[in-house]
Amino acid sequence: MTKLTTHVLDTMTGKPAAGLRIDLYRLEGAETQFLSSHKTNEDGRVDSPLLQGADFAAGSYRLDFHAGDYLAQNGGSDFLDIIPIQFIIADLERHYHVPLLLSPYGYSTYRGS
């Protein structure tokens, strides 16, 4: 089933990042359309796909990971705030997974499976 999913790992603790807010936007030219807001569960994942079915459409999207709030609540730093990850859904036959590896002073992402 084609869908968009994500998860967040706290690399400082080596555990999933629970309770981290993630906002999803669709980008169309100069327009930014808010689609949904989510919180990660105890496994660092959102309980359901961010996009699926008829909502899973080709285009440009952005996930805003509210890392600053999460880090402040979990003894982290005051360096990172909102981490935007902009990506393109081009192939409607594939599952898109956008993970975030988070530490107090840096982060990374990749195209997951």
Side-chain angles (χ1 to χ4, degrees), residues 37-97:
S37 187
H38 308 269
K39 285 251 185 187
T40 56
N41 60 24
E42 293 299 314
D43 195 33
R45 299 176 184 277
V46 175
D47 289 328
S48 61
L50 304 174
L51 291 173
Q52 68 179 346
D55 293 330
F56 186 78
S60 294
Y61 294 87
R62 187 180 78 222
L63 290 171
D64 284 354
F65 294 85
H66 291 258
D69 295 340
Y70 168 81
L71 291 168
Q73 294 172 3
N74 291 281
S77 74
D78 59 358
F79 176 64
L80 293 171
D81 190 16
I82 296 173
I83 299 171
I85 299 176
Q86 190 169 323
F87 59 96
I88 297 168
I89 293 177
D91 184 351
L92 296 180
E93 300 299 316
R94 297 186 68 189
H95 173 201
Y96 283 75
H97 184 68

Side-chain angles (χ1 to χ4, degrees), residues 11-47:
T11 59
M12 181 178 76
T13 64
K15 297 179 181 178
L20 190 144
R21 183 175 137 204
I22 304 167
D23 295 332
L24 173 64
Y25 297 87
R26 181 172 171 85
L27 310 173
E28 296 183 40
E31 299 293 318
T32 301
Q33 177 188 7
F34 172 80
L35 297 179
S36 57
S37 187
H38 308 269
K39 285 251 185 187
T40 56
N41 60 24
E42 293 299 314
D43 195 33
R45 299 176 184 277
V46 175
D47 289 328

